[in-house]
Amino acid sequence: MEFFDSHAHYNDEKFKEDRDKIILENYNKGIKYTTCIGYNLQSSKDAVDIAKKYDFIYCTAGISPNDINDNVYEELDEIKEIAKYKKIVAIGEIGLDYYWNKDNKELQKEVFVRQIEIANKLELPIVIHTRDAISDTIDILKNVLPCNKKGIFHCCPLNVELIKEGLKLGYYISFSGVITFKNAKPDLAVQEVPLNKILIETDSPYLTPEPYRGSRNDPSKVEFVAKKISEIKELNLEEIAKKTTENAKKIYNIQ
Ligand code: NI
């Protein structure tokens, strides 16, 4: 079976020791595509370097709401340049996070909008990180500056209202290992997303799915996310693998 991990951080320092080894192992285990996601300037550059080395890895560039520093405007100029590379498939991860940062909401919104502008200029979709900021996120996408190429709600909060709004706006919904957690209650959220709008991701090295929770996550474990979706939707795993791969190729515009 072949899988597409739509959101992983091979650029994270937790892969520093064994990055090349694990990338190749995972490819041989069936992880035929991975998008390596940037979250600040350095990790975006690193994502590009990794994508240059492996033809089955694609990459994104962006500054997450939790990585906004005093040089953010200079950094955005650099992100704009980096994002011209041909294997950059989206701007991200970008968005709003009022769980970790409550004190700079206006700045977060502005940095989010500035990056949607970059996406629109380069005709790219966006990868959205939203936490405890659902209504402001939807407001920006709907009323402030829509992204022309749409995008993905990554590690989507298991909130049916958000999912409905996101789908209405034309976005894909991506689920992570969180849906396998024992206390998660993901059924209604997963059922809400039609098969042609659903993506799977690991967000590795974080959010390790059950039964491996507690150890380092990596893209090979995306299978457990797919398995959980197949149980909830009562479809076979192969169909979930195939459909989520097709969907990821479509939104990331990969031939
Ligand atoms: Ni991430």
Side-chain angles (χ1 to χ4, degrees), residues 61 76-86 88-91 114-125 147-149 253:
L76 287 177
D77 289 338
E78 282 200 62
I79 291 288
K80 205 170 168 178
E81 288 309 305
I82 293 169
K84 291 174 182 162
Y85 172 54
K86 62 177 193 285
I88 288 273
V89 291
I91 297 297
R114 290 279 298 265
Q115 294 186 95
I116 299 173
E117 269 169 25
I118 295 174
N120 283 344
K121 202 160 274 172
L122 298 174
E123 296 183 32
L124 290 169
C147 182
N148 298 333
K149 293 286 178 184
N253 198 19

Side-chain angles (χ1 to χ4, degrees), residues 220-248:
S220 69
K221 298 185 179 66
V222 80
E223 182 173 350
F224 296 95
V225 180
K227 213 172 260 171
K228 186 72 192 179
I229 292 171
S230 80
E231 285 164 21
I232 294 171
K233 286 196 171 291
E234 296 178 4
L235 293 167
N236 67 48
L237 182 58
E238 250 161 68
E239 190 169 359
I240 301 295
K242 188 168 160 260
K243 206 62 203 162
T244 51
T245 299
E246 274 173 29
N247 294 343

Side-chain angles (χ1 to χ4, degrees), residues 49-61:
D49 287 342
I50 294 167
K52 281 182 176 163
K53 201 164 169 186
Y54 298 98
D55 60 0
F56 52 92
I57 297 183
Y58 296 81
C59 56
T60 71

Side-chain angles (χ1 to χ4, degrees), residues 30 43 48 68 88-89 111-112 120 132 148 181 183 231 233:
S43 66
V48 167
I68 297 174
I88 288 273
V89 291
V111 170
F112 184 26
N120 283 344
D132 288 3
N148 298 333
F181 294 174
N183 53 0
E231 285 164 21
K233 286 196 171 291

Side-chain angles (χ1 to χ4, degrees), residues 7 9 93 154 203:
H7 188 119
H9 300 287
E93 54 188 282
H154 120 75
D203 206 14

Side-chain angles (χ1 to χ4, degrees), residues 162-186:
L162 168 69
I163 290 172
K164 280 185 177 161
E165 283 292 327
L167 289 169
K168 229 189 282 171
L169 291 171
Y171 281 74
Y172 286 78
I173 305 295
S174 180
F175 292 111
S176 69
V178 168
I179 65 167
T180 70
F181 294 174
K182 289 202 169 69
N183 53 0
K185 301 195 175 66

